[in-house]
Amino acid sequence: MEELPMSPAGHDPQGQVKQQQAAGVGILLQIMMLVLSFVLGHVLRRHRFHYLPEASGSLLIGLIVGVLANVSDTETSIRTWFNFHEEFFFLFLLPPIIFQSGFSLQPKPFFSNFGAIVTFAIIGTFVASVVTGGLVYLGGSMYLMYKLPFVECLMFGALISATDPVTVLSIFQELGTDVNLYALVFGESVLNDAMAISLYRTMSLVNRQSSTGEHFLMVVIRFLETFAGSMSAGVGVGFTSALLFKYAGLDTENLQNLECCLFVLFPYFSYMLAEGVGLSGIVSILFTGIVMKRYTFSNLSEASQSFVSAFFHLISSLAETFTFIYMGFDIAMEQHSWSHVGFILFSILFIGVARAVNVFGCAYLVNLVRQENQKIPMKHQKALWYSGLRGAMAFALALQSLHDLPEGHGQIIFTATTTIVVVTVLLIGGSTGKMLEALEVVGDDHDDSMSEGFEESNPRYIPPPFSIGASSDEETSSSGSRFKMKLKEFHKSTTSFTALDKNFLTPFFTTNNGDGEEE
């Protein structure tokens, strides 16, 4: 019998067959875990069991299967299919999640709280990163924990400041929480991811090069350029898509497939364009989602609108569930450094302190310039502090730090981050329902009715981010007065943009004349 020829690369066909079988088994296990996660999530929702949210259940499934794979000494060729690759996460799993976040934003509660959301997500994340990094460095200097260089501490502070409250938000929806509290948590988490990635990359750049004061100033400028450039790229792609769908005449029945295919491709075009020119794809695709929902979506036919809405919701749900499974399995399979438990314990304490400085400090600034009936109540501030879970973004950046930092340091940060992710997702996520009941924010509709008052008086009116106004008996300092004057200018620019959107942008980019209600 004639022998099978060897392949050009020197691999025998039998080995290739075994690799294909291993790939089939690996993919089959992933599909089985996805099915199990969705079924478990349905059962948990049906019985209103909030102690184990869907995201926590998916993470737990991944952890259990990973432990079993270690115990059973599963073949290496199969286990490699479960390794968490940060490139795969950032290029394939994260884009649909971020786009859906921007695409599903409810305009009225989001823009009525836009100033507060930006304050928490931009200023607050920066403060939390610096406070976390500073406390970790101080703890190391006082020999309370393993000492890392200052810039590496700031890198850890940046990556661990990325919040992922998908678990909290799902419970918020099920229990019926205040719409403005939901908008704050959701809006902060969307912008927070982009901010955390930009900060981490900035600190990584400083760590690789000489960090003189002049150089650090250039890095800050580079960060601002990257953020502004990414936002401009995302908005530009979104507006381009709106004009294409407005004038190309694709909203006919026989062109529905082409219409949907083009709509689906634009978000990835935005993401890859930004990444290809050295900008942030996360920021770009987020703003593409916001612009495409506001302007492009209304240019689609009704059938295409239904399809793309369901499609992006579907793939984002699959990506989120798969990410938590993927993450849980990899946590169980990776090598961890448990020789510095003090670093882990103090890190958990420090991120709680930094989160408190972020939330309560930013809430104080926001309330300083809001009217009395629009201030963020303390119970909402506590809920916002409690909802700062860490998830896939922090884990992916920690995995990236294994390549960016010396071997020992990257391993310590990775172990600390995975521990924090598991603790926050399983313990804090599982206790969110009780937290909401204890704070008495379930079914709270005071601020919602306030927002409805604005909307009823003018359906197209977007309330200013910071409502300017205070009682006549309040005494303010000269610095506070100057601060309020700047906010008044910001308020004028906001109302001007509302008029610009209604009178120019909406008629120019959509088939509407600007008189219809916001979605």
Side-chain angles (χ1 to χ4, degrees):
M1 185 175 179
E2 195 174 296
E3 291 186 5
L4 289 172
M6 298 289 286
S7 65
H11 300 295
D12 70 289
Q14 191 174 6
Q16 292 180 351
V17 170
K18 290 188 69 175
Q19 287 182 354
Q20 291 177 354
Q21 289 177 341
V25 173
I27 295 173
L28 176 63
L29 288 174
Q30 292 173 356
I31 293 174
M32 288 174 63
M33 288 192 289
L34 275 171
V35 171
L36 180 59
S37 295
F38 283 117
V39 171
L40 178 63
H42 171 70
V43 172
L44 293 173
R45 281 196 310 271
R46 187 172 181 180
H47 292 85
R48 303 183 66 84
F49 187 78
H50 302 302
Y51 296 102
L52 186 66
E54 289 179 68
S56 303
S58 301
L59 180 68
L60 204 55
I61 288 172
L63 283 170
I64 293 171
V65 174
V67 170
L68 291 176
N70 268 334
V71 173
S72 62
D73 195 24
T74 306
E75 287 185 28
T76 305
S77 56
I78 297 177
R79 291 166 61 171
T80 53
W81 281 88
F82 292 92
N83 291 338
F84 191 102
H85 299 286
E86 58 270 23
E87 295 88 358
F88 178 69
F89 171 75
F90 282 114
L91 293 178
F92 296 102
L93 294 179
L94 191 59
I97 297 174
I98 298 297
F99 178 79
Q100 176 64 14
S101 297
F103 193 72
S104 62
L105 281 177
Q106 295 298 319
K108 292 176 182 177
F110 178 78
F111 284 108
S112 65
N113 292 282
F114 185 72
I117 289 171
V118 169
T119 303
F120 284 116
I122 306 299
I123 299 176
T125 302
F126 178 80
V127 169
S129 300
V130 173
V131 170
T132 302
L135 288 176
V136 169
Y137 181 76
L138 185 62
S141 301
M142 297 174 63
Y143 303 102
L144 297 174
M145 56 198 296
Y146 185 82
K147 184 177 181 180
L148 295 174
F150 183 64
V151 176
E152 292 183 12
C153 291
L154 291 178
M155 290 176 66
F156 176 64
L159 70 88
I160 207 64
S161 296
T163 60
D164 187 7
V166 60
T167 299
V168 176
L169 291 174
S170 64
I171 297 175
F172 277 14
Q173 286 180 317
E174 290 181 31
L175 297 181
T177 319
D178 171 65
V179 66
N180 289 308
L181 173 60
Y182 184 91
L184 283 175
V185 175
F186 181 77
E188 184 214 4
S189 68
V190 170
L191 296 178
N192 165 277
D193 284 346
M195 183 68 180
I197 291 175
S198 300
L199 280 174
Y200 176 82
R201 290 178 177 174
T202 301
M203 291 300 106
S204 180
L205 179 63
V206 173
N207 189 52
R208 287 196 301 268
Q209 303 176 7
S210 58
S211 55
T212 61
E214 184 177 336
H215 175 74
F216 185 77
L217 178 62
M218 293 303 296
V219 170
V220 172
I221 294 173
R222 170 62 180 164
F223 162 72
L224 296 176
E225 288 177 346
T226 301
F227 198 89
S230 303
M231 182 177 68
S232 301
V235 171
V237 170
F239 280 142
T240 301
S241 68
L243 290 175
L244 173 66
F245 284 97
K246 179 179 179 180
Y247 293 110
L250 299 174
D251 56 344
T252 57
E253 186 175 350
N254 59 331
L255 293 177
Q256 182 185 341
N257 287 341
L258 175 61
E259 188 180 33
C260 293
C261 288
L262 287 174
F263 192 94
V264 169
L265 288 175
F266 266 101
Y268 261 106
F269 175 79
S270 171
Y271 186 89
M272 297 306 172
L273 173 66
E275 289 291 328
V277 297
L279 299 174
S280 172
I282 300 300
V283 179
S284 180
I285 198 171
L286 169 66
F287 282 95
T288 298
I290 295 173
V291 173
M292 289 186 73
K293 179 59 181 289
R294 181 69 185 90
Y295 300 104
T296 311
F297 187 73
S298 60
N299 294 333
L300 301 177
S301 61
E302 290 186 10
S304 295
Q305 287 181 354
S306 300
F307 174 80
V308 297
S309 296
F311 176 78
F312 282 114
H313 184 269
L314 169 67
I315 62 171
S316 66
S317 297
L318 280 170
E320 281 184 357
T321 304
F322 185 72
T323 297
F324 277 97
I325 294 174
Y326 201 26
M327 186 167 58
F329 192 93
D330 199 67
I331 288 173
M333 302 294 289
E334 286 283 346
Q335 296 294 322
H336 296 281
S337 175
W338 299 108
S339 57
H340 301 285
V341 179
F343 187 92
I344 299 173
L345 296 178
F346 278 104
S347 294
I348 294 174
L349 174 64
F350 291 157
I351 65 170
V353 173
R355 179 70 180 170
V357 174
N358 171 0
V359 171
F360 298 114
C362 290
Y364 174 78
L365 292 177
V366 172
N367 287 340
L368 192 66
V369 291
R370 278 191 169 187
Q371 293 179 353
E372 191 63 36
N373 65 335
Q374 292 179 315
K375 292 183 185 295
I376 303 174
M378 180 55 67
K379 59 184 181 180
H380 286 188
Q381 295 178 38
K382 292 177 180 178
L384 192 61
W385 173 78
Y386 198 84
S387 62
L389 283 72
R390 271 59 179 180
M393 183 64 69
F395 179 78
L397 291 176
L399 205 58
Q400 181 66 42
S401 72
L402 291 174
H403 308 292
D404 296 337
L405 298 176
E407 184 176 349
H409 296 179
Q411 202 73 33
I412 292 170
I413 287 177
F414 178 73
T415 301
T417 303
T418 55
T419 304
I420 291 167
V421 168
V422 172
V423 169
T424 56
V425 171
L426 293 182
L427 297 184
I428 297 180
S431 59
T432 300
K434 289 294 182 183
M435 177 272 295
L436 294 176
E437 293 176 2
L439 293 177
E440 299 178 346
V441 294
V442 178
D444 184 5
D445 60 356
H446 170 70
D447 293 333
D448 189 22
S449 61
M450 177 191 70
S451 298
E452 288 173 0
F454 280 112
E455 294 159 7
E456 287 171 5
S457 62
N458 185 354
R460 296 287 305 174
Y461 176 71
I462 298 177
F466 295 106
S467 299
I468 309 301
S471 57
S472 59
D473 59 343
E474 286 184 351
E475 296 182 2
T476 56
S477 62
S478 58
S479 60
S481 299
R482 287 195 298 270
F483 186 49
K484 288 189 177 184
M485 287 298 295
K486 292 180 180 179
L487 289 170
K488 286 181 180 179
E489 294 175 4
F490 181 70
H491 164 51
K492 290 179 181 178
S493 66
T494 304
T495 54
S496 299
F497 176 77
T498 305
L500 177 69
D501 175 55
K502 177 181 179 181
N503 299 322
F504 177 74
L505 295 179
T506 298
F508 184 78
F509 288 105
T510 72
T511 53
N512 300 330
N513 58 11
D515 296 328
E517 286 192 26
E518 283 187 39
E519 293 176 48

